Amino acid sequence: MLTIACCLLVSLISAQGGRALRMKNFEVPLHVPRGESTTLRCEFDLQGERLYSVKWYKGGREFFRYVPNERPMKQDYKVTGVNVDMEASTGQVVVLQTATLATSGRYKCEVLAEAPAFNTLVEHAILTVVDIPQEKPVVRGAQERYHPGDVVRINCTSAPSKPAATLTWYINGEVVDDKYLLHYPPYMQVDGLEQSTLGLHFRATHAHFPQNVMSLRCTASIGIFYNKTEEASLETHRPALSLESREHFYGSRGTTSTSSPLSLTVGLLLCVLNALR
Ligand SMILES: *[C@@H]1O[C@H](CO)[C@@H](O)[C@H](O)[C@H]1NC(C)=O
Ligand SMILES: *[C@@H]1O[C@H](CO)[C@@H](O)[C@H](O)[C@H]1NC(C)=O
């Protein structure tokens, strides 16, 4: 489910004259979930030339080579974060086992034809290992009730992830203006995962309570993978004859009554929208 491959289909003609090597399919996944294995493809057409070697590099360091005229034909070299499955790897495909955060980097495939032309074909792409949190973001610092005139000062904090999640605050369904936001640097954990915090700071006015309800919502997303929402919904209740105020901690908004603007309660409505594709 999480193996999302961004296929880079590249057709490259070697710049040198004569016969030219051609890339049929170069494929390095844009994102690889931590712990999964991944396949890199460098499928070329020799156009009648003979292959001398295929070499793979990560960040400029060679980690795999295929040379049909040598024995063994396949060789791997130690590069941090790269764990080649030698059985499964060939001249056109390299399989990496158990991605770690250190597997992220720039991968290059270099195809070299035999003498006399020594035509070469080079293609590269960036691979990023992602670690997607299973937990929803958390809202902290909320009071149980707010009145128009009160200052709202709350934080939304994502679960640790790599890369860091992007947080968005919404008031009554609208993205919050940047001047009400407090941007904090992501907190980097020892395991390399990052935790994002986005503060929301504003003075509530009557305009923030259409139909006597103010709804505050925070979403966390990482590219297309992770889309979870925490929603804080503030409700007003009109105590008909008593001054008692009622609190509700469930998810239906605007449930109660035609209300007085005096008594406000806060319900925390958790709404997990999980769009893992
Ligand atoms: C929000 O988070 C920041 C950074 O961790 C912290 O300094 C601040 O006190 C928090 N504010 C609230 C209202 O929790
Ligand atoms: C996250 O989910 C919401 C609600 O389903 C949707 O409107 C939004 O476009 C999604 N965002 C991403 C990045 O998928």
Side-chain angles (χ1 to χ4, degrees):
M1 166 172 76
L2 289 172
T3 317
I4 297 94
C6 166
C7 309
L8 289 169
L9 263 163
V10 185
S11 292
L12 287 181
I13 306 293
S14 163
Q16 295 167 42
R19 283 184 173 139
L21 302 176
R22 193 177 65 88
M23 188 66 82
K24 287 197 302 188
N25 181 30
F26 180 74
E27 204 176 298
V28 169
L30 189 58
H31 295 115
V32 175
R34 178 148 80 152
E36 292 200 2
S37 65
T38 186
T39 301
L40 315 180
R41 294 179 192 281
C42 183
E43 296 169 349
F44 47 87
D45 182 350
L46 289 167
Q47 309 257 70
E49 291 199 46
R50 287 174 55 190
L51 178 67
Y52 176 67
S53 64
V54 179
K55 294 178 182 176
W56 279 93
Y57 302 81
K58 174 181 182 277
R61 296 187 58 198
E62 185 181 355
F63 64 86
F64 179 79
R65 114 177 5 183
Y66 173 84
V67 186
N69 289 338
E70 283 178 10
R71 293 295 176 270
M73 288 193 283
K74 297 189 267 186
Q75 248 183 297
D76 65 338
Y77 304 94
K78 200 167 165 52
V79 170
T80 308
V82 181
N83 184 9
V84 179
D85 180 340
M86 292 298 281
E87 287 279 309
S89 299
T90 68
Q92 306 231 341
V93 166
V94 167
V95 178
L96 305 182
Q97 297 171 315
T98 328
T100 66
L101 294 179
T103 308
S104 297
R106 184 176 184 269
Y107 287 80
K108 181 172 84 173
C109 171
E110 183 188 274
V111 182
L112 182 61
E114 277 199 339
F118 292 114
N119 280 330
T120 58
L121 192 56
V122 177
E123 191 55 52
H124 58 80
I126 304 281
L127 178 153
T128 303
V129 175
V130 295
D131 196 321
I132 296 125
Q134 300 305 314
E135 308 91 53
K136 53 189 172 291
V138 172
V139 172
R140 288 199 185 90
Q143 298 171 24
E144 287 198 349
R145 56 191 77 182
Y146 291 99
H147 301 259
D150 284 352
V151 170
V152 177
R153 194 181 178 109
I154 55 182
N155 277 344
C156 179
T157 301
S158 67
S161 65
K162 186 76 184 186
T166 301
L167 298 171
T168 309
W169 270 114
Y170 299 82
I171 302 176
N172 299 322
E174 301 216 356
V175 175
V176 171
D177 193 291
D178 198 63
K179 69 184 175 210
Y180 299 136
L181 299 178
L182 295 166
H183 297 274
Y184 298 105
Y187 173 71
M188 176 83 81
Q189 300 189 332
V190 283
D191 59 7
L193 299 181
E194 294 175 46
Q195 196 166 35
S196 306
T197 296
L198 184 62
L200 177 62
H201 185 197
F202 69 102
R203 187 178 291 279
T205 67
H206 284 282
H208 289 118
F209 296 83
Q211 278 100 45
N212 295 326
V213 176
M214 174 168 68
S215 129
L216 304 177
R217 188 159 60 99
C218 170
T219 66
S221 64
I222 298 171
I224 58 168
F225 302 104
Y226 167 53
N227 186 7
K228 297 191 179 186
T229 306
E230 169 134 344
E231 181 163 315
S233 174
L234 313 181
E235 300 181 12
T236 68
H237 300 275
R238 172 177 289 156
L241 292 169
S242 76
L243 291 172
E244 126 194 65
S245 70
R246 283 166 278 161
E247 292 176 16
H248 293 265
F249 283 88
Y250 53 82
S252 49
R253 278 195 268 164
T255 31
T256 28
S257 63
T258 44
S259 316
S260 120
L262 291 176
S263 155
L264 307 174
T265 61
V266 181
L268 276 176
L269 174 64
L270 304 181
C271 172
V272 179
L273 299 169
N274 198 339
L276 297 174
R277 286 172 217 155

